[in-house]
């Protein structure tokens, strides 16, 4: 510790029985970048030994004001930070009381999880987070997953790649209705198992019936496929260029990324389900109860805006497997398709397969009259 | 100091009453407690305990919300003549109408919160701390207009009551600007709620320009019908007499609104069924059933019959002027609009789904209990507001500080005391 004032504050916390708060201290220092790397490492190490995160409100702490001339007072706070500070102070107080009481029913892990959950509760909208805040929340979420027995997950925050706009094409002639894509999607995206959640729907229609008329299509067929005299048509989120769902969200918990993917900040969603009413393609799903994925089936490779753990009461949707596509891989559905009916790629790359399809096939989209401009086309051979 | 006495005497008014009053309030409290239990189950297990699902993602809560916004907006039918046109018939009734608006708005907000999947995150709606997607999201508009209207309808009557309580004459230049604002605001709350649905191209059943005007017509039907019932109760059960002219005029408003509502309904039905397109499926589901699914058919048909019947009765002068016919057709209209504009409007918007799938909705006991609880809360608030306001307006309740402070202005107070004594 080079800074005397920080020392005071740290001691104060330790005396109050809040060793975990150390990891938060990094953010209280005037500028962590100016600290020697060894010092930063030491702090992180001691925080980890003490059980990781927790402590004061994200980014700042109300109890710090009791330390003489704390740096916090010189820092400009935004309102959310102020709110966090307020509750942070409360939490530290209650925690200090708890630590002094002779019988503590909570294990250290439970307490740590509670503190992490509190910090998670007061965090902001993902889009407005600084890269540091994004790193913070990811670390909290990963730690929480560990504490909750969901194994060791890695949550990525990869940004949209430059010069990429994703598009999808679906070959109606080739799809045979096997639904491998559905299965792969469920596995990849950690979809809720008890409610049998699926982002993809495969509709079976008699040959000769118009594609536009989905009213008489069957998406729940259970017989052997391909059925004689039928064709198949898959739907999922079309990542519309003009998405009505994004327009209606009252808190901007859903938006379109620069690569065209419409994402949801699961922790910012208030669960009003207005977006579900607004979607003309029935692409959004709601967590009517706490979603469950057996630990052994959990996909640990996750993205903050993609397949990470959701909670009850929030909306989710297909993200073209953002956790895969931003690494340059195909979405799980496209990879799993055994018939080659699914073509995925970068619309801005003139040499991509999707561009070839769009330029050489007769393509159409669902409900084009609504002006939603889906980035998902159908075509036939 | 006045304020302290005001609140104290308000508390006293609200907590004293006869056996029937206590029985009524006790029953409401019991229903509210039941509702709270239902909500606790919903909070614990998630919205899966309701009948809603990914296909029909709004249900009984939003249905009641939609209906009640109309109830709140209907207060304008008394506010406008009473304050702006200075119609003496309405001078006493208007405070009660504002009470209805306040309680209806509290119920609206409660229904929206009950419908939220993640209510603890509702602070995300607060500008600056969270993000309010204003002006793009119509739901954000709704948050603004509902809270604004609640504030207006709390401030204006409070100022008037408080002035009376402290023996002052309310200063017009202080409250009339707010009254004008609230008149426009009343129309806007219901239009915004209609636009919330009409703005969705995904739902052809709602996505038409008539929805907003029709919301207003049905609101002024059910809202004024309820006011007539409530004012009749106040008139016959308390010393607070309502001018007979108020009933006559309100009955006329209800009648015209009901007629306009029926014309619009007929226009909608014609457009849907004269040359049925794909968009007719929801209306067909509502009125006739679709592929064997017909849960709403009996409801909407009964509501339609009630609607037409009551409107015909009200249209005939001799019947409308007969108190018995007036009150019963108001009750019938209220229920009919509740069905037609609640479940009959919200649920068919989701059936069939945008991809043509049919999943029916019926509310579970949790939804029913929570809904009943919120209605009980609304009636509780309405009762308390009325119970507090009436003695002040009758001059029975006056600030004990008046005599010492303003010896020159105690005449009205003395008069009030006299009347109370007789």
């Amino acid at each position: 510790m080079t800074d005397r004032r920080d020392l005071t504050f740290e001691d104060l916390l330790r005396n109050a029985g809040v060793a975990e708060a150390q990891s938060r201290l990094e953010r209280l220092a005037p500028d962590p970048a100016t600290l020697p790397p060894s010092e930063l490492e030491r702090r992180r190490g001691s925080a980890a030994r003490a059980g990781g995160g927790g402590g004061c409100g994200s980014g700042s702490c109300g109890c710090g004001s009791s330390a003489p001339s704390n740096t916090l007072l010189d820092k400009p706070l935004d309102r959310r930070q102020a709110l966090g500070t307020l509750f942070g102070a409360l939490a530290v107080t209650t925690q200090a009381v708890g630590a002094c009481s002779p019988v503590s029913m909570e294990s250290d892990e439970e307490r740590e999880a509670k503190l992490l959950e509190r910090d998670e509760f007061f965090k902001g909208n993902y889009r407005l987070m600084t890269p540091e805040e994004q790193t913070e929340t990811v670390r909290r979420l990963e730690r929480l997953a560990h504490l909750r027995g969901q194994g060791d997950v890695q949550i990525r925050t990869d940004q949209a790649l430059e010069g990429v706009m994703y598009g999808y094409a679906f070959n109606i002639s080739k799809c045979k209705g096997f639904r491998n894509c559905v299965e792969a999607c469920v596995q990849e995206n950690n979809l809720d198992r008890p409610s049998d959640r699926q982002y993809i729907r495969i509709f079976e229609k008699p040959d000769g019936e118009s594609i536009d008329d989905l009213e008489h299509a069957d998406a729940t067929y259970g017989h052997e496929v391909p059925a004689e005299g039928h064709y198949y048509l898959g739907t999922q989120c079309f990542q519309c260029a003009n998405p009505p769902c994004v327009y209606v969200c009252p808190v901007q918990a859903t938006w379109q990324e620069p690569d065209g993917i419409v994402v949801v900040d699961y922790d910012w969603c208030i669960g009003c389900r207005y977006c579900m009413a607004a979607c003309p393609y029935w692409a959004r799903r709601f967590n009517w109860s706490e979603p469950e994925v057996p630990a052994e089936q959990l996909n640990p490779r996750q993205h903050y805006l993609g397949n990470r753990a959701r909670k009850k009461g929030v909306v989710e949707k297909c993200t073209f497997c953002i956790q895969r596509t931003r690494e340059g891989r195909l979405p799980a559905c496209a990879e799993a398709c055994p018939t080659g009916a699914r073509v995925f790629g970068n619309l801005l790359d003139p040499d991509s397969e999707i561009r070839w399809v769009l330029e050489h096939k007769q393509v159409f989209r669902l409900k084009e009259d609504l002006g939603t401009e889906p980035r998902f086309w159908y075509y036939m051979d | 100091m006045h304020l302290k006495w005001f609140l104290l005497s308000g508390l006293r008014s609200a907590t004293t009453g006869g056996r029937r009053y206590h029985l009524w309030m006790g029953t409401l409290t019991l229903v509210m407690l039941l509702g709270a239990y239902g909500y606790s189950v919903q909070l614990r297990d998630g919205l899966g305990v309701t009948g809603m699902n990914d296909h029909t993602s709004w249900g009984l809560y939003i249905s009641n919300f939609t209906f009640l916004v109309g109830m709140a907006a209907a207060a304008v039918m008394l506010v406008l003549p009473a304050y702006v046109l200075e119609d003496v018939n309405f001078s006493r009734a208007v405070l009660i109408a504002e009470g209805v608006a306040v309680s209806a708005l509290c119920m609206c907000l409660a229904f929206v919160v009950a419908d939220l999947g993640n209510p603890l995150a509702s602070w995300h709606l607060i500008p600056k701390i969270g993000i309010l997607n204003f002006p793009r999201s119509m739901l954000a508009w709704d948050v603004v207009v509902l809270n604004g209207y609640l504030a207006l309808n709390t401030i204006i009557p409070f100022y008037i009551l408080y002035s009376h309580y402290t023996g002052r004459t309310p200063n017009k230049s202080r409250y009339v600007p707010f009254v004008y604002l609230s008149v426009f605001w009343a129309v806007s709350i219901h239009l915004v709620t209609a636009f919330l649905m009409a703005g969705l191209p995904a739902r052809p059943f709602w996505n038409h320009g008539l929805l907003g005007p029709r919301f207003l017509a049905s609101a002024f039907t059910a809202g004024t019908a309820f006011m007539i019932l409530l004012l009749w109760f106040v008139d016959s059960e308390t010393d607070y007499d309502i001018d007979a002219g108020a009933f006559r005029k309100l009955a006329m408003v209800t009648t015209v609104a009901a007629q306009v509502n029926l014309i619009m309904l007929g226009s909608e039905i014609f457009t849907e069924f004269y040359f049925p397109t794909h968009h007719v499926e929801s209306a067909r589901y509502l009125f006739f059933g679709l592929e064997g699914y017909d849960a709403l058919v009996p409801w909407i048909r009964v509501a339609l019959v009630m609607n037409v019947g009551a409107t015909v009765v009200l249209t005939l002068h001799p019947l409308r002027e007969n108190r018995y016919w007036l009150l019963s057709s108001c009750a019938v209209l209220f229920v009919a609009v509740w069905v037609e504009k609640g479940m009959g409007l919200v649920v068919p918007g989701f059936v069939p789904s945008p991809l043509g799938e049919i999943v029916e909705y019926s509310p579970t006991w949790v939804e029913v209990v929570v809904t009943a609880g919120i209605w009980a809360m609304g009636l509780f608030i309405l009762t308390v507001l009325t119970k507090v306001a009436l003695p002040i307006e009758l001059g029975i309740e006056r600030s004990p500080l008046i005599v010492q402070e303003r010896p020159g202005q105690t005449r009205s107070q003395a008069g009030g005391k006299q009347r109370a004594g007789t």
Side-chain angles (χ1 to χ4, degrees):
Chain A
M1 272 302 162
T2 50
D3 194 321
R4 194 189 60 82
R5 291 174 301 181
D6 265 355
L7 258 180
T8 321
F9 182 35
E10 194 178 11
D11 285 343
L12 194 81
L13 283 180
R14 194 180 288 122
N15 293 342
V18 197
E20 295 95 329
Q22 275 184 334
S23 70
R24 290 288 161 278
L25 284 174
E26 297 171 17
R27 310 198 55 200
L28 270 175
D31 185 4
T34 58
L35 289 171
S38 59
E39 175 61 22
L40 272 175
E41 201 49 50
R42 193 194 66 80
R43 287 187 187 186
R44 283 212 192 88
S46 64
R49 274 194 302 282
C56 308
S58 57
S60 55
C61 185
C63 53
S65 56
S66 56
S69 74
N70 190 283
T71 49
L72 172 73
L73 292 176
D74 309 326
K75 275 187 175 181
L77 288 174
D78 70 15
R79 288 168 189 81
R80 190 177 6 260
Q81 275 180 321
L83 199 74
T85 305
L86 197 71
F87 282 85
L90 266 177
V92 168
T93 317
T94 45
Q95 212 194 2
V97 172
C100 299
S101 70
V103 187
S104 176
M105 299 304 284
E106 283 181 308
S107 73
D108 283 351
E109 290 203 336
E110 280 165 357
R111 192 182 310 152
E112 188 197 346
K114 273 191 182 165
L115 284 167
L116 288 174
E117 277 165 6
R118 201 216 53 227
D119 282 356
E120 277 295 291
F121 180 79
F122 285 108
K123 75 182 176 185
N125 184 304
Y126 180 74
R127 251 200 309 186
L128 302 182
M129 286 182 194
T130 61
E132 293 79 44
E133 284 170 330
Q134 291 182 354
T135 316
E136 282 283 322
T137 180
V138 161
R139 203 162 55 187
R140 284 196 296 264
L141 289 168
E142 288 174 348
R143 177 76 187 147
L144 269 172
H146 178 81
L147 290 172
R148 287 170 183 156
Q150 290 160 341
D152 292 314
V153 303
Q154 299 96 46
I155 301 174
R156 307 179 62 97
T157 54
D158 301 9
Q159 304 278 317
L161 300 169
E162 283 286 320
V164 171
M165 178 64 73
Y166 294 116
Y168 215 123
F170 187 97
N171 189 339
I172 298 167
S173 316
K174 280 197 174 147
C175 180
K176 296 287 173 254
F178 298 138
R179 290 198 279 220
N180 293 33
C181 50
V182 178
E183 186 50 36
C185 171
V186 170
Q187 300 287 343
E188 169 67 31
N189 289 300
N190 295 321
L191 300 191
D192 180 41
R193 301 299 200 276
S195 70
D196 198 17
R197 166 150 310 141
Q198 295 170 0
Y199 290 158
I200 303 174
R201 277 186 103 57
I202 305 288
F203 288 90
E204 184 182 78
K205 285 185 68 69
D207 285 338
E209 262 194 23
S210 158
I211 285 150
D212 218 21
D213 178 23
L214 281 174
E215 256 127 42
H216 303 106
D218 179 16
T220 56
Y221 58 86
H223 50 75
E224 197 175 308
V225 288
E228 188 66 32
H230 286 78
Y231 70 95
Y232 298 87
L233 177 134
T235 65
Q236 58 203 71
C237 176
F238 295 158
Q239 323 292 349
C240 304
N242 187 21
C245 53
V246 168
Y247 268 68
V248 299
C249 178
V251 291
Q252 293 186 6
T254 182
W255 64 88
Q256 188 157 50
E257 289 275 295
D259 52 8
I261 301 178
V262 175
V263 293
V264 180
D265 182 345
Y266 310 121
D267 295 329
W268 195 252
C269 174
I270 59 173
C272 70
R273 307 188 296 292
Y274 196 13
C275 54
M276 297 178 77
C279 174
Y281 306 105
W282 196 61
R284 287 175 170 255
R285 304 289 182 270
F286 184 72
N287 287 288
W288 299 96
S289 53
E290 197 71 49
E292 286 172 36
V293 180
E296 69 277 8
Q297 293 177 27
L298 190 88
N299 176 6
R301 292 179 69 173
Q302 302 176 356
H303 193 284
Y304 191 91
L305 299 171
N307 58 345
R308 74 179 168 101
R310 275 77 78 183
K311 52 191 179 190
K312 77 165 187 273
V314 302
V315 167
E316 60 177 86
K317 64 184 284 298
C318 157
T319 59
F320 279 173
C321 288
I322 195 167
Q323 66 280 356
R324 295 170 64 100
T325 44
R326 286 203 176 160
E327 288 179 345
R329 297 192 288 156
L330 283 176
C333 51
E335 194 176 87
C337 181
T339 65
R342 290 174 170 271
V343 174
F344 178 86
N346 180 5
L347 295 169
L348 303 181
D349 173 8
D351 301 324
S352 63
E353 193 183 351
I354 181 97
R355 280 287 289 270
W356 187 90
V357 169
L358 293 183
E359 280 159 25
H360 294 87
K361 298 285 182 182
Q362 289 172 343
V363 296
F364 66 93
R365 297 176 287 185
L366 281 187
K367 303 193 188 190
E368 285 199 74
D369 52 329
L370 297 183
T372 48
E373 302 288 330
R375 292 206 182 93
F376 193 102
W377 289 265
Y378 295 95
Y379 68 103
M380 283 163 268
D381 285 332
Chain B
M1 276 312 280
H2 277 307
L3 187 64
K4 193 184 113 194
W5 285 105
F6 180 78
L7 296 175
L8 275 176
S9 67
L11 190 66
R12 193 173 58 234
S13 299
T15 49
T16 51
R19 177 199 284 260
R20 275 168 69 206
Y21 177 71
H22 284 297
L23 199 64
W24 166 246
M25 296 302 265
T27 312
L28 290 180
T29 310
L30 195 69
V31 179
M32 279 194 280
L33 286 174
L34 271 175
Y37 171 69
Y39 188 61
S40 74
V41 171
Q42 182 185 306
L43 269 186
R44 190 191 63 206
D45 297 342
L47 281 164
V49 298
T50 70
M52 293 183 276
N53 50 64
D54 279 335
H55 283 92
T56 311
S57 47
W58 282 343
L60 196 57
Y61 297 150
I62 297 296
S63 302
N64 277 284
F65 162 78
T66 313
F67 175 78
L68 284 164
V69 176
M71 290 286 294
V76 74
M77 282 296 161
L78 288 92
V79 169
L80 181 72
Y83 293 128
V84 181
L85 307 176
E86 303 196 343
D87 187 327
V88 286
N89 296 141
F90 287 108
S91 56
R92 294 192 132 195
V94 68
L95 271 173
I96 305 210
E98 284 162 330
V100 171
V102 168
S103 37
L105 284 166
C106 292
M107 290 157 79
C108 286
L109 296 174
F111 273 117
V112 171
V113 172
D115 190 64
L116 288 184
N118 195 5
L120 283 179
S122 44
W123 63 270
H124 295 172
L125 284 163
I126 303 169
K128 307 293 179 192
I129 304 174
I131 304 170
L132 186 70
N133 191 8
F134 187 86
R136 202 159 68 152
S137 165
M138 290 316 293
L139 199 55
W141 275 79
D142 226 10
V143 170
V144 172
V145 294
L146 287 181
N147 284 297
Y149 194 61
L150 180 59
L152 283 173
N153 273 288
T154 313
I155 291 168
I156 298 168
F158 176 81
Y159 173 70
I160 289 172
L161 282 175
Y162 187 68
S163 300
H164 287 164
Y165 183 74
T166 52
R168 275 174 274 234
T169 312
N171 184 349
K172 281 207 165 182
S173 60
R174 277 202 197 156
Y175 72 87
V176 167
F178 290 102
V179 170
Y180 277 93
L181 187 61
S182 90
V183 167
F184 290 103
W185 209 290
V187 178
S188 82
I189 60 165
H190 214 31
L191 278 181
V192 164
T193 308
F195 292 168
L196 192 148
M197 294 173 159
L200 303 179
R203 311 281 167 185
F205 189 65
W206 302 333
N207 186 221
H208 58 88
L210 195 56
L211 198 71
R214 187 147 171 248
F215 264 39
L216 288 177
S218 57
F220 296 149
T221 309
T224 47
F226 181 78
M227 305 281 186
I228 289 174
L229 292 169
L230 179 65
L231 289 174
W232 166 77
F233 179 82
V234 168
D235 186 51
S236 57
E237 294 291 319
T238 68
D239 298 334
Y240 194 71
D241 297 325
I242 306 294
D243 195 297
F247 285 104
R248 211 176 53 243
K249 288 176 182 171
L250 276 180
M252 191 54 101
V253 171
T254 311
T255 309
V256 174
Q259 290 165 344
V260 173
N261 186 35
L262 278 188
I263 293 170
M264 291 188 186
L265 177 64
S267 164
E268 263 180 32
I269 291 179
F270 170 81
T271 321
E272 297 275 34
F273 291 105
Y274 179 70
F275 195 94
T277 64
H278 262 321
H279 294 171
V280 79
E281 297 295 312
S282 291
R284 187 173 283 155
Y285 167 72
L286 177 63
F287 291 107
F288 303 106
L290 209 59
E291 295 174 23
Y293 298 98
D294 54 3
L296 287 177
V297 174
W299 289 88
I300 196 69
R301 288 191 182 171
V302 170
L304 213 57
V305 170
M306 288 165 81
N307 221 330
V308 174
T311 310
V312 169
V313 168
L314 286 178
T315 308
L316 303 171
H317 289 285
L319 291 181
R320 188 177 64 245
E321 277 153 24
N322 177 311
R323 181 155 278 201
Y324 169 76
W325 281 104
L326 173 67
L327 294 178
S328 46
S329 41
C330 281
V332 167
L333 269 182
F334 180 78
V335 175
V337 172
W338 181 73
V339 172
E340 176 208 313
K341 194 178 174 179
M343 295 278 276
L345 177 94
V346 172
V347 176
F350 294 98
V351 184
S353 87
L355 296 182
E357 292 172 270
I358 301 173
V359 176
E360 284 208 297
Y361 161 81
S362 69
T364 60
W365 71 266
V366 174
E367 274 169 294
V368 171
V369 164
V370 170
T371 302
I374 294 176
W375 271 93
M377 182 198 79
L379 291 174
F380 191 95
I381 294 172
L382 178 61
T383 312
V384 168
L385 291 178
T386 315
K387 193 80 176 23
V388 170
L390 294 193
I392 296 175
E393 286 302 290
L394 285 171
I396 299 169
E397 287 288 348
R398 281 290 179 267
S399 171
L401 305 173
I402 291 176
V403 188
Q404 295 91 322
E405 270 187 17
R406 299 170 157 264
Q409 288 195 13
T410 51
R411 209 160 53 86
S412 65
Q413 186 224 9
K417 278 261 164 67
Q418 250 173 15
R419 191 156 15 140
T422 53

